[in-house]
mmCIF file of all heavy atoms in Angstrom:
data_model
loop_
_atom_site.group_PDB
_atom_site.id
_atom_site.type_symbol
_atom_site.label_atom_id
_atom_site.label_comp_id
_atom_site.label_asym_id
_atom_site.label_seq_id
_atom_site.Cartn_x
_atom_site.Cartn_y
_atom_site.Cartn_z
ATOM 1 N N ASN H 5 102.600 96.010 89.690
ATOM 2 C CA ASN H 5 103.447 95.113 90.470
ATOM 3 C C ASN H 5 104.639 94.584 89.673
ATOM 4 O O ASN H 5 105.712 94.369 90.234
ATOM 5 C CB ASN H 5 102.617 93.948 91.006
ATOM 6 C CG ASN H 5 101.646 94.375 92.084
ATOM 7 O OD1 ASN H 5 101.961 95.211 92.927
ATOM 8 N ND2 ASN H 5 100.458 93.788 92.074
ATOM 9 N N ALA H 6 104.437 94.374 88.382
ATOM 10 C CA ALA H 6 105.523 93.879 87.544
ATOM 11 C C ALA H 6 106.671 94.874 87.482
ATOM 12 O O ALA H 6 107.836 94.482 87.378
ATOM 13 C CB ALA H 6 105.016 93.564 86.145
ATOM 14 N N LYS H 7 106.340 96.153 87.533
ATOM 15 C CA LYS H 7 107.350 97.204 87.471
ATOM 16 C C LYS H 7 107.756 97.723 88.843
ATOM 17 O O LYS H 7 108.639 98.569 88.934
ATOM 18 C CB LYS H 7 106.842 98.369 86.632
ATOM 19 C CG LYS H 7 106.603 98.042 85.174
ATOM 20 C CD LYS H 7 106.109 99.272 84.417
ATOM 21 C CE LYS H 7 105.896 98.973 82.952
ATOM 22 N NZ LYS H 7 105.399 100.177 82.225
ATOM 23 N N ASN H 8 107.094 97.222 89.884
ATOM 24 C CA ASN H 8 107.321 97.747 91.228
ATOM 25 C C ASN H 8 107.197 99.266 91.254
ATOM 26 O O ASN H 8 108.020 99.968 91.842
ATOM 27 C CB ASN H 8 108.681 97.320 91.769
ATOM 28 C CG ASN H 8 108.589 96.153 92.731
ATOM 29 O OD1 ASN H 8 107.513 95.786 93.205
ATOM 30 N ND2 ASN H 8 109.732 95.555 93.034
ATOM 31 N N THR H 9 106.150 99.739 90.625
ATOM 32 C CA THR H 9 105.929 101.167 90.488
ATOM 33 C C THR H 9 104.541 101.532 90.995
ATOM 34 O O THR H 9 103.566 100.834 90.713
ATOM 35 C CB THR H 9 106.078 101.613 89.028
ATOM 36 O OG1 THR H 9 107.406 101.317 88.578
ATOM 37 C CG2 THR H 9 105.832 103.099 88.880
ATOM 38 N N VAL H 10 104.482 102.608 91.735
ATOM 39 C CA VAL H 10 103.211 103.130 92.211
ATOM 40 C C VAL H 10 102.982 104.493 91.566
ATOM 41 O O VAL H 10 103.932 105.255 91.339
ATOM 42 C CB VAL H 10 103.175 103.217 93.754
ATOM 43 C CG1 VAL H 10 104.211 104.195 94.285
ATOM 44 C CG2 VAL H 10 101.776 103.586 94.234
ATOM 45 N N TYR H 11 101.727 104.784 91.274
ATOM 46 C CA TYR H 11 101.361 106.014 90.603
ATOM 47 C C TYR H 11 100.375 106.794 91.440
ATOM 48 O O TYR H 11 99.608 106.240 92.228
ATOM 49 C CB TYR H 11 100.727 105.725 89.244
ATOM 50 C CG TYR H 11 101.573 104.875 88.335
ATOM 51 C CD1 TYR H 11 101.413 103.493 88.301
ATOM 52 C CD2 TYR H 11 102.543 105.454 87.517
ATOM 53 C CE1 TYR H 11 102.193 102.707 87.464
ATOM 54 C CE2 TYR H 11 103.323 104.673 86.682
ATOM 55 C CZ TYR H 11 103.145 103.306 86.659
ATOM 56 O OH TYR H 11 103.927 102.533 85.825
ATOM 57 N N LEU H 12 100.383 108.079 91.243
ATOM 58 C CA LEU H 12 99.367 108.937 91.827
ATOM 59 C C LEU H 12 98.838 109.849 90.736
ATOM 60 O O LEU H 12 99.533 110.761 90.293
ATOM 61 C CB LEU H 12 99.927 109.766 92.985
ATOM 62 C CG LEU H 12 98.895 110.608 93.745
ATOM 63 C CD1 LEU H 12 97.932 109.699 94.515
ATOM 64 C CD2 LEU H 12 99.580 111.583 94.699
ATOM 65 N N GLN H 13 97.629 109.562 90.288
ATOM 66 C CA GLN H 13 96.963 110.410 89.313
ATOM 67 C C GLN H 13 96.244 111.512 90.059
ATOM 68 O O GLN H 13 95.378 111.241 90.891
ATOM 69 C CB GLN H 13 95.975 109.600 88.478
ATOM 70 C CG GLN H 13 95.203 110.412 87.452
ATOM 71 C CD GLN H 13 96.085 110.966 86.358
ATOM 72 O OE1 GLN H 13 96.908 110.248 85.806
ATOM 73 N NE2 GLN H 13 95.930 112.244 86.046
ATOM 74 N N MET H 14 96.596 112.743 89.764
ATOM 75 C CA MET H 14 96.047 113.887 90.463
ATOM 76 C C MET H 14 95.258 114.729 89.478
ATOM 77 O O MET H 14 95.818 115.278 88.526
ATOM 78 C CB MET H 14 97.160 114.716 91.107
ATOM 79 C CG MET H 14 98.051 113.909 92.043
ATOM 80 S SD MET H 14 99.278 114.941 92.893
ATOM 81 C CE MET H 14 100.275 115.446 91.489
ATOM 82 N N ASN H 15 93.970 114.829 89.711
ATOM 83 C CA ASN H 15 93.082 115.623 88.877
ATOM 84 C C ASN H 15 92.480 116.757 89.689
ATOM 85 O O ASN H 15 92.486 116.739 90.912
ATOM 86 C CB ASN H 15 91.961 114.750 88.301
ATOM 87 C CG ASN H 15 92.468 113.634 87.425
ATOM 88 O OD1 ASN H 15 93.454 113.788 86.708
ATOM 89 N ND2 ASN H 15 91.781 112.494 87.461
ATOM 90 N N SER H 16 91.934 117.721 88.977
ATOM 91 C CA SER H 16 91.281 118.863 89.620
ATOM 92 C C SER H 16 92.167 119.477 90.692
ATOM 93 O O SER H 16 91.735 119.754 91.813
ATOM 94 C CB SER H 16 89.933 118.442 90.214
ATOM 95 O OG SER H 16 89.084 117.912 89.217
ATOM 96 N N LEU H 17 93.403 119.703 90.338
ATOM 97 C CA LEU H 17 94.377 120.186 91.309
ATOM 98 C C LEU H 17 94.036 121.578 91.811
ATOM 99 O O LEU H 17 93.543 122.428 91.063
ATOM 100 C CB LEU H 17 95.777 120.169 90.704
ATOM 101 C CG LEU H 17 96.409 118.778 90.634
ATOM 102 C CD1 LEU H 17 97.568 118.757 89.649
ATOM 103 C CD2 LEU H 17 96.887 118.347 92.019
ATOM 104 N N LYS H 18 94.308 121.776 93.082
ATOM 105 C CA LYS H 18 94.050 123.037 93.759
ATOM 106 C C LYS H 18 95.359 123.629 94.262
ATOM 107 O O LYS H 18 96.318 122.896 94.502
ATOM 108 C CB LYS H 18 93.110 122.818 94.952
ATOM 109 C CG LYS H 18 91.795 122.157 94.612
ATOM 110 C CD LYS H 18 91.004 121.865 95.880
ATOM 111 C CE LYS H 18 89.684 121.192 95.567
ATOM 112 N NZ LYS H 18 88.919 120.894 96.809
ATOM 113 N N PRO H 19 95.407 124.937 94.455
ATOM 114 C CA PRO H 19 96.635 125.535 94.997
ATOM 115 C C PRO H 19 97.069 124.901 96.317
ATOM 116 O O PRO H 19 98.275 124.793 96.567
ATOM 117 C CB PRO H 19 96.251 127.003 95.189
ATOM 118 C CG PRO H 19 95.232 127.251 94.130
ATOM 119 C CD PRO H 19 94.434 125.973 94.059
ATOM 120 N N GLU H 20 96.126 124.474 97.130
ATOM 121 C CA GLU H 20 96.460 123.855 98.402
ATOM 122 C C GLU H 20 97.082 122.470 98.257
ATOM 123 O O GLU H 20 97.542 121.894 99.244
ATOM 124 C CB GLU H 20 95.239 123.791 99.332
ATOM 125 C CG GLU H 20 93.993 123.242 98.677
ATOM 126 C CD GLU H 20 93.059 124.329 98.171
ATOM 127 O OE1 GLU H 20 93.544 125.268 97.512
ATOM 128 O OE2 GLU H 20 91.846 124.236 98.436
ATOM 129 N N ASP H 21 97.095 121.934 97.046
ATOM 130 C CA ASP H 21 97.800 120.686 96.784
ATOM 131 C C ASP H 21 99.301 120.904 96.603
ATOM 132 O O ASP H 21 100.056 119.934 96.504
ATOM 133 C CB ASP H 21 97.245 119.993 95.541
ATOM 134 C CG ASP H 21 95.807 119.535 95.713
ATOM 135 O OD1 ASP H 21 95.474 119.005 96.795
ATOM 136 O OD2 ASP H 21 95.016 119.694 94.763
ATOM 137 N N THR H 22 99.714 122.151 96.526
ATOM 138 C CA THR H 22 101.126 122.463 96.352
ATOM 139 C C THR H 22 101.939 121.921 97.518
ATOM 140 O O THR H 22 101.662 122.233 98.681
ATOM 141 C CB THR H 22 101.333 123.976 96.226
ATOM 142 O OG1 THR H 22 100.677 124.452 95.050
ATOM 143 C CG2 THR H 22 102.819 124.313 96.139
ATOM 144 N N ALA H 23 102.925 121.108 97.206
ATOM 145 C CA ALA H 23 103.739 120.471 98.233
ATOM 146 C C ALA H 23 104.821 119.647 97.556
ATOM 147 O O ALA H 23 104.805 119.434 96.344
ATOM 148 C CB ALA H 23 102.887 119.555 99.122
ATOM 149 N N VAL H 24 105.756 119.190 98.366
ATOM 150 C CA VAL H 24 106.673 118.154 97.918
ATOM 151 C C VAL H 24 106.007 116.820 98.203
ATOM 152 O O VAL H 24 105.583 116.557 99.332
ATOM 153 C CB VAL H 24 108.037 118.243 98.617
ATOM 154 C CG1 VAL H 24 108.939 117.096 98.171
ATOM 155 C CG2 VAL H 24 108.699 119.586 98.319
ATOM 156 N N TYR H 25 105.909 115.989 97.196
ATOM 157 C CA TYR H 25 105.268 114.695 97.324
ATOM 158 C C TYR H 25 106.325 113.605 97.445
ATOM 159 O O TYR H 25 107.262 113.541 96.645
ATOM 160 C CB TYR H 25 104.366 114.426 96.117
ATOM 161 C CG TYR H 25 103.070 115.198 96.179
ATOM 162 C CD1 TYR H 25 103.049 116.575 96.017
ATOM 163 C CD2 TYR H 25 101.866 114.545 96.428
ATOM 164 C CE1 TYR H 25 101.868 117.291 96.102
ATOM 165 C CE2 TYR H 25 100.678 115.253 96.503
ATOM 166 C CZ TYR H 25 100.688 116.626 96.341
ATOM 167 O OH TYR H 25 99.506 117.330 96.418
ATOM 168 N N TYR H 26 106.152 112.764 98.445
ATOM 169 C CA TYR H 26 107.105 111.713 98.745
ATOM 170 C C TYR H 26 106.468 110.340 98.603
ATOM 171 O O TYR H 26 105.364 110.111 99.103
ATOM 172 C CB TYR H 26 107.633 111.836 100.176
ATOM 173 C CG TYR H 26 108.403 113.101 100.456
ATOM 174 C CD1 TYR H 26 107.761 114.237 100.934
ATOM 175 C CD2 TYR H 26 109.778 113.155 100.255
ATOM 176 C CE1 TYR H 26 108.464 115.395 101.202
ATOM 177 C CE2 TYR H 26 110.489 114.310 100.522
ATOM 178 C CZ TYR H 26 109.827 115.427 100.996
ATOM 179 O OH TYR H 26 110.533 116.575 101.270
ATOM 180 N N CYS H 27 107.175 109.455 97.970
ATOM 181 C CA CYS H 27 106.785 108.064 97.902
ATOM 182 C C CYS H 27 107.305 107.339 99.136
ATOM 183 O O CYS H 27 108.382 107.660 99.651
ATOM 184 C CB CYS H 27 107.357 107.434 96.634
ATOM 185 S SG CYS H 27 106.895 105.720 96.343
ATOM 186 N N ASN H 28 106.549 106.366 99.605
ATOM 187 C CA ASN H 28 106.949 105.624 100.790
ATOM 188 C C ASN H 28 106.528 104.167 100.654
ATOM 189 O O ASN H 28 105.489 103.863 100.071
ATOM 190 C CB ASN H 28 106.309 106.241 102.037
ATOM 191 C CG ASN H 28 106.589 105.445 103.294
ATOM 192 O OD1 ASN H 28 105.783 104.608 103.710
ATOM 193 N ND2 ASN H 28 107.739 105.702 103.900
ATOM 194 N N THR H 29 107.339 103.286 101.219
ATOM 195 C CA THR H 29 106.964 101.877 101.268
ATOM 196 C C THR H 29 107.537 101.229 102.514
ATOM 197 O O THR H 29 108.563 101.675 103.047
ATOM 198 C CB THR H 29 107.441 101.118 100.019
ATOM 199 O OG1 THR H 29 106.940 99.771 100.056
ATOM 200 C CG2 THR H 29 108.966 101.073 99.938
ATOM 201 N N ASN H 30 106.866 100.183 102.964
ATOM 202 C CA ASN H 30 107.421 99.382 104.042
ATOM 203 C C ASN H 30 108.267 98.226 103.511
ATOM 204 O O ASN H 30 108.843 97.471 104.281
ATOM 205 C CB ASN H 30 106.323 98.873 104.972
ATOM 206 C CG ASN H 30 105.320 97.957 104.280
ATOM 207 O OD1 ASN H 30 105.509 97.539 103.148
ATOM 208 N ND2 ASN H 30 104.236 97.651 104.981
ATOM 209 N N GLY H 31 108.304 98.093 102.195
ATOM 210 C CA GLY H 31 109.115 97.068 101.567
ATOM 211 C C GLY H 31 108.643 95.653 101.796
ATOM 212 O O GLY H 31 109.342 94.708 101.440
ATOM 213 N N GLY H 32 107.452 95.502 102.380
ATOM 214 C CA GLY H 32 106.945 94.183 102.701
ATOM 215 C C GLY H 32 107.476 93.640 104.012
ATOM 216 O O GLY H 32 107.211 92.481 104.338
ATOM 217 N N TYR H 33 108.191 94.457 104.743
ATOM 218 C CA TYR H 33 108.704 94.052 106.048
ATOM 219 C C TYR H 33 107.671 94.329 107.123
ATOM 220 O O TYR H 33 107.021 95.379 107.127
ATOM 221 C CB TYR H 33 110.003 94.790 106.367
ATOM 222 C CG TYR H 33 111.118 94.527 105.393
ATOM 223 C CD1 TYR H 33 111.308 95.344 104.280
ATOM 224 C CD2 TYR H 33 112.001 93.475 105.592
ATOM 225 C CE1 TYR H 33 112.341 95.103 103.391
ATOM 226 C CE2 TYR H 33 113.031 93.235 104.705
ATOM 227 C CZ TYR H 33 113.202 94.051 103.610
ATOM 228 O OH TYR H 33 114.231 93.812 102.727
ATOM 229 N N GLY H 34 107.522 93.387 108.034
ATOM 230 C CA GLY H 34 106.593 93.575 109.130
ATOM 231 C C GLY H 34 105.149 93.483 108.680
ATOM 232 O O GLY H 34 104.811 92.749 107.756
ATOM 233 N N THR H 35 104.306 94.256 109.334
ATOM 234 C CA THR H 35 102.882 94.256 109.021
ATOM 235 C C THR H 35 102.665 94.727 107.595
ATOM 236 O O THR H 35 103.110 95.820 107.237
ATOM 237 C CB THR H 35 102.113 95.155 109.992
ATOM 238 O OG1 THR H 35 102.402 94.753 111.331
ATOM 239 C CG2 THR H 35 100.611 95.049 109.758
ATOM 240 N N PRO H 36 101.992 93.929 106.768
ATOM 241 C CA PRO H 36 101.906 94.258 105.334
ATOM 242 C C PRO H 36 101.303 95.610 105.022
ATOM 243 O O PRO H 36 101.700 96.241 104.033
ATOM 244 C CB PRO H 36 101.040 93.121 104.776
ATOM 245 C CG PRO H 36 101.260 91.980 105.708
ATOM 246 C CD PRO H 36 101.405 92.611 107.066
ATOM 247 N N TRP H 37 100.345 96.049 105.810
ATOM 248 C CA TRP H 37 99.610 97.262 105.496
ATOM 249 C C TRP H 37 100.151 98.508 106.199
ATOM 250 O O TRP H 37 99.659 99.605 105.958
ATOM 251 C CB TRP H 37 98.132 97.088 105.875
ATOM 252 C CG TRP H 37 97.922 96.536 107.261
ATOM 253 C CD1 TRP H 37 97.704 95.238 107.602
ATOM 254 C CD2 TRP H 37 97.931 97.271 108.487
ATOM 255 N NE1 TRP H 37 97.574 95.109 108.963
ATOM 256 C CE2 TRP H 37 97.705 96.342 109.532
ATOM 257 C CE3 TRP H 37 98.090 98.623 108.809
ATOM 258 C CZ2 TRP H 37 97.650 96.727 110.873
ATOM 259 C CZ3 TRP H 37 98.042 99.010 110.146
ATOM 260 C CH2 TRP H 37 97.819 98.067 111.155
ATOM 261 N N LEU H 38 101.125 98.358 107.044
ATOM 262 C CA LEU H 38 101.532 99.447 107.924
ATOM 263 C C LEU H 38 102.404 100.472 107.204
ATOM 264 O O LEU H 38 103.458 100.145 106.655
ATOM 265 C CB LEU H 38 102.271 98.891 109.137
ATOM 266 C CG LEU H 38 102.712 99.913 110.187
ATOM 267 C CD1 LEU H 38 101.500 100.611 110.786
ATOM 268 C CD2 LEU H 38 103.537 99.245 111.273
ATOM 269 N N LEU H 39 101.956 101.706 107.236
ATOM 270 C CA LEU H 39 102.712 102.848 106.714
ATOM 271 C C LEU H 39 102.666 103.983 107.728
ATOM 272 O O LEU H 39 101.696 104.091 108.497
ATOM 273 C CB LEU H 39 102.134 103.327 105.384
ATOM 274 C CG LEU H 39 102.369 102.456 104.157
ATOM 275 C CD1 LEU H 39 101.694 103.073 102.951
ATOM 276 C CD2 LEU H 39 103.849 102.256 103.890
ATOM 277 N N PRO H 40 103.628 104.891 107.760
ATOM 278 C CA PRO H 40 104.781 104.900 106.854
ATOM 279 C C PRO H 40 105.799 103.817 107.185
ATOM 280 O O PRO H 40 105.983 103.447 108.342
ATOM 281 C CB PRO H 40 105.380 106.290 107.053
ATOM 282 C CG PRO H 40 105.025 106.643 108.459
ATOM 283 C CD PRO H 40 103.651 106.044 108.672
ATOM 284 N N GLY H 41 106.418 103.324 106.144
ATOM 285 C CA GLY H 41 107.521 102.412 106.304
ATOM 286 C C GLY H 41 108.825 103.167 106.405
ATOM 287 O O GLY H 41 108.860 104.397 106.481
ATOM 288 N N ASP H 42 109.890 102.425 106.392
ATOM 289 C CA ASP H 42 111.216 103.012 106.594
ATOM 290 C C ASP H 42 111.828 103.621 105.341
ATOM 291 O O ASP H 42 112.877 104.262 105.424
ATOM 292 C CB ASP H 42 112.182 101.959 107.136
ATOM 293 C CG ASP H 42 111.876 101.568 108.569
ATOM 294 O OD1 ASP H 42 111.220 102.350 109.281
ATOM 295 O OD2 ASP H 42 112.316 100.478 108.975
ATOM 296 N N TYR H 43 111.176 103.421 104.211
ATOM 297 C CA TYR H 43 111.804 103.789 102.946
ATOM 298 C C TYR H 43 111.066 104.941 102.283
ATOM 299 O O TYR H 43 109.860 104.874 102.037
ATOM 300 C CB TYR H 43 111.859 102.576 102.021
ATOM 301 C CG TYR H 43 112.510 101.395 102.698
ATOM 302 C CD1 TYR H 43 111.743 100.365 103.217
ATOM 303 C CD2 TYR H 43 113.893 101.334 102.844
ATOM 304 C CE1 TYR H 43 112.336 99.294 103.868
ATOM 305 C CE2 TYR H 43 114.486 100.268 103.494
ATOM 306 C CZ TYR H 43 113.706 99.258 104.000
ATOM 307 O OH TYR H 43 114.292 98.191 104.652
ATOM 308 N N TRP H 44 111.820 105.990 101.996
ATOM 309 C CA TRP H 44 111.285 107.205 101.395
ATOM 310 C C TRP H 44 112.030 107.566 100.128
ATOM 311 O O TRP H 44 113.235 107.355 100.014
ATOM 312 C CB TRP H 44 111.421 108.391 102.359
ATOM 313 C CG TRP H 44 110.598 108.283 103.601
ATOM 314 C CD1 TRP H 44 110.968 107.732 104.791
ATOM 315 C CD2 TRP H 44 109.264 108.762 103.786
ATOM 316 N NE1 TRP H 44 109.952 107.831 105.703
ATOM 317 C CE2 TRP H 44 108.894 108.462 105.117
ATOM 318 C CE3 TRP H 44 108.352 109.411 102.961
ATOM 319 C CZ2 TRP H 44 107.648 108.795 105.638
ATOM 320 C CZ3 TRP H 44 107.106 109.741 103.470
ATOM 321 C CH2 TRP H 44 106.769 109.439 104.795
ATOM 322 N N GLY H 45 111.302 108.121 99.175
ATOM 323 C CA GLY H 45 111.939 108.723 98.027
ATOM 324 C C GLY H 45 112.440 110.112 98.367
ATOM 325 O O GLY H 45 112.243 110.617 99.476
ATOM 326 N N GLN H 46 113.089 110.737 97.415
ATOM 327 C CA GLN H 46 113.655 112.066 97.628
ATOM 328 C C GLN H 46 112.628 113.181 97.492
ATOM 329 O O GLN H 46 112.889 114.311 97.902
ATOM 330 C CB GLN H 46 114.814 112.304 96.659
ATOM 331 C CG GLN H 46 116.012 111.402 96.920
ATOM 332 C CD GLN H 46 117.153 111.659 95.953
ATOM 333 O OE1 GLN H 46 116.960 112.219 94.872
ATOM 334 N NE2 GLN H 46 118.349 111.255 96.346
ATOM 335 N N GLY H 47 111.488 112.872 96.932
ATOM 336 C CA GLY H 47 110.434 113.846 96.790
ATOM 337 C C GLY H 47 110.408 114.490 95.420
ATOM 338 O O GLY H 47 111.434 114.611 94.755
ATOM 339 N N THR H 48 109.227 114.900 95.016
ATOM 340 C CA THR H 48 109.052 115.632 93.769
ATOM 341 C C THR H 48 108.096 116.793 94.017
ATOM 342 O O THR H 48 107.069 116.645 94.671
ATOM 343 C CB THR H 48 108.543 114.702 92.644
ATOM 344 O OG1 THR H 48 108.483 115.422 91.411
ATOM 345 C CG2 THR H 48 107.169 114.117 92.957
ATOM 346 N N GLN H 49 108.464 117.948 93.517
ATOM 347 C CA GLN H 49 107.700 119.164 93.776
ATOM 348 C C GLN H 49 106.489 119.245 92.867
ATOM 349 O O GLN H 49 106.599 119.085 91.648
ATOM 350 C CB GLN H 49 108.580 120.401 93.564
ATOM 351 C CG GLN H 49 107.848 121.729 93.742
ATOM 352 C CD GLN H 49 107.497 122.019 95.176
ATOM 353 O OE1 GLN H 49 108.333 121.875 96.066
ATOM 354 N NE2 GLN H 49 106.248 122.424 95.409
ATOM 355 N N VAL H 50 105.347 119.503 93.471
ATOM 356 C CA VAL H 50 104.120 119.788 92.740
ATOM 357 C C VAL H 50 103.677 121.196 93.108
ATOM 358 O O VAL H 50 103.470 121.496 94.284
ATOM 359 C CB VAL H 50 103.002 118.784 93.071
ATOM 360 C CG1 VAL H 50 101.681 119.208 92.441
ATOM 361 C CG2 VAL H 50 103.399 117.391 92.601
ATOM 362 N N THR H 51 103.559 122.041 92.115
ATOM 363 C CA THR H 51 103.132 123.410 92.333
ATOM 364 C C THR H 51 101.890 123.678 91.500
ATOM 365 O O THR H 51 101.905 123.486 90.280
ATOM 366 C CB THR H 51 104.234 124.407 91.963
ATOM 367 O OG1 THR H 51 105.409 124.130 92.730
ATOM 368 C CG2 THR H 51 103.784 125.832 92.237
#
């Protein structure tokens, strides 16, 4: 929370995990738990 950073630790990766991974947040607007929010990252490729 101090860094406003979210992580995804991925272990035991499988070929079917291959995809572009996108970060998303609702920014704290509206319902606190509701996703997807309006804000998306550009994506990072995992192969």
Side-chain angles (χ1 to χ4, degrees):
N5 290 321
K7 296 181 179 179
N8 259 347
T9 299
V10 63
Y11 305 94
L12 185 68
Q13 179 66 47
M14 304 184 294
N15 299 325
S16 302
L17 283 162
K18 304 174 180 179
E20 49 263 47
D21 295 318
T22 296
V24 177
Y25 284 70
Y26 297 91
C27 183
N28 175 265
T29 185
N30 62 10
Y33 299 91
T35 306
W37 49 264
L38 183 62
L39 287 179
D42 289 338
Y43 307 101
W44 294 91
Q46 294 180 340
T48 185
Q49 177 71 47
V50 172
T51 302

